[in-house]
Amino acid sequence: MTMTPSLSVRTVDYHTAGEPFRIILGGMPAIPGETVGARRVFAQRSEEIDRYRRLLCNEPRGHADMYGGFIVPPDDDGADLGVLFWHKDGFSTACGHGTIALGAWAVESGLVEAADDGVTTVTVDVPSGRVAARVERVGGRTTRVTFRNVPSYVIARGVTVSTSRGDVLVDLSYSGAIYASLRAADVGLAVTPEDYTELIAIGREVKWLLNDSAHARHPSDERLSGVYGTILFDELAATPSGPRQRNVTVFADGEVDRSPCGSGTGARVALLADDGTLLPEQTLRHESIVGTVFEAGFENGPAADHGVATVVPEVTGSAHKTGEHLFVLDADDELGTGFVLR
């Protein structure tokens, strides 16, 4: 019998609006590749690298809704760091809540020098491009972080999807990853913890019904193709500053974002800006299934490679450190890198 080698990995953990983000500080081998995008492809194909994802995401060290990132070199000197985002089913192309957490961590750890008062920009290379986190500090404490995403756009509106809950109309948009959006009420649900199980089921169903469709093909980079997540939302009474919605994003294969979802909020902003629900001078109040809040706006962006208009979403939230860990895998542990039950 082949003995599984022991491992020892250091991490620091944050949460952004309730959603976990585990940052690996040491104990991993280098991930080869000239760019962050290339490193993601390598990690997807490497049993050695994926072993670390499973170790840190799976039970008993993580759980089915765990999220984290491997810190890697940026594509060039224009960014402060690079990151490979991961979840229970693999490696994602974008993560807004993770970028917010990384901004807070980069400043609080001293990786990026920051004054005790003011705003410091942390620039991060992710598989979908270059993003930024503007970290606001008061008296040496981080008060909030604004995630500036890649140019985002509408893909399709009113796509009919035949589900187990009947035919529904779905909008698709891109904001570092492709998302499908639909009203929770259209499938007889509300974005509440009481409907949690049913929201997961229909979110998974819609994702997989659309994942291989023409709507889910990225126009210039096949690595960004596929529906990453389904956003189910409730319309709420507007605030004086703009529209208000509550959403739950069901991503990967049934994973639930506890936050309002950073890149998912960007995908919603693209749709709301397109139909005039969100104006340039307004702010979207975007709430999560657990009641946490992101605020979001946009600037007009450059035309995409395939000629469509884009917006550049900016999503503001906060992230907080929850712990530091030394995770170990004993060579005699019969569970190895662990398991997931969903």
Side-chain angles (χ1 to χ4, degrees):
M1 186 176 82
T2 302
M3 182 72 73
T4 301
S6 297
L7 295 178
S8 179
V9 184
R10 289 188 303 113
T11 76
V12 59
D13 284 24
Y14 276 70
H15 83 84
T16 303
E19 177 72 356
F21 193 74
R22 179 163 287 167
I23 303 167
I24 289 72
L25 301 179
M28 275 194 61
I31 302 173
E34 294 299 316
T35 65
V36 172
R39 289 186 177 94
R40 175 176 177 259
V41 172
F42 181 91
Q44 289 174 309
R45 298 171 178 172
S46 168
E47 170 60 26
E48 179 186 20
I49 299 302
D50 196 59
R51 184 170 176 238
Y52 289 87
R53 178 192 64 82
R54 298 194 307 271
L55 176 77
L56 297 169
C57 190
N58 291 354
E59 296 185 51
R61 299 166 189 83
H63 49 81
D65 295 290
M66 193 65 204
Y67 210 103
F70 298 148
I71 304 302
V72 297
D75 292 354
D76 57 49
D77 293 340
D80 297 298
L81 68 147
V83 61
L84 299 185
F85 298 118
W86 49 256
H87 47 71
K88 76 177 181 70
D89 297 303
F91 295 87
S92 56
T93 60
C95 178
H97 94 272
T99 302
I100 290 172
L102 285 168
W105 165 74
V107 165
E108 292 166 3
S109 68
L111 178 69
V112 175
E113 186 176 350
D116 285 346
D117 296 281
V119 179
T120 300
T121 298
V122 178
T123 305
V124 186
D125 282 335
V126 307
S128 57
R130 181 161 288 176
V131 299
R134 294 200 304 272
V135 183
E136 299 184 32
R137 305 262 287 171
V138 176
R141 296 180 63 86
T142 300
T143 56
R144 63 181 193 164
V145 180
T146 297
F147 158 57
R148 183 177 173 87
N149 204 359
V150 297
S152 306
Y153 54 85
V154 175
I155 297 171
R157 286 190 177 273
V159 177
T160 300
V161 181
S162 297
T163 77
S164 59
R165 289 177 170 267
D167 288 355
V168 294
L169 297 179
V170 175
D171 297 331
L172 290 101
S173 53
Y174 172 81
S175 191
I178 295 173
Y179 289 89
S181 291
L182 69 150
R183 288 179 176 81
D186 288 351
V187 288
L189 301 172
V191 181
T192 64
E194 291 75 19
D195 284 349
Y196 180 77
T197 301
E198 290 82 3
L199 290 164
I200 293 173
I202 192 65
R204 292 174 84 176
E205 187 177 352
V206 169
K207 171 200 166 85
W208 292 118
L209 286 170
L210 287 169
N211 192 66
D212 295 325
S213 72
H215 299 300
R217 306 271 65 79
H218 190 275
S220 60
D221 188 345
E222 184 58 28
R223 295 174 300 181
L224 303 177
S225 291
V227 174
Y228 178 56
T230 302
I231 302 171
L232 295 110
F233 66 92
D234 293 337
E235 298 276 7
L236 304 175
T239 74
S241 301
R244 177 183 170 217
Q245 295 184 344
R246 180 181 299 116
N247 92 98
V248 62
T249 300
V250 182
F251 65 96
D253 188 21
E255 191 160 344
V256 175
D257 200 324
R258 275 81 172 123
S259 82
C261 187
S263 53
T265 296
R268 293 296 302 149
V269 164
L271 290 164
L272 297 174
D274 177 71
D275 65 19
T277 302
L278 179 66
L279 302 176
E281 66 273 14
Q282 292 182 316
T283 299
L284 167 67
R285 179 180 171 90
H286 214 209
E287 302 178 11
S288 76
I289 194 170
V290 299
T292 53
V293 177
F294 286 160
E295 294 183 336
F298 69 92
E299 296 178 359
N300 290 323
D305 291 343
H306 56 302
V308 302
T310 73
V311 296
V312 178
E314 295 196 342
V315 180
T316 299
S318 60
H320 301 277
K321 185 177 177 180
T322 60
E324 298 181 10
H325 307 279
L326 178 64
F327 288 104
V328 298
L329 172 58
D330 191 306
D332 296 326
D333 186 345
E334 67 276 9
L335 285 179
T337 55
F339 58 92
V340 287
L341 291 177
R342 187 180 78 241

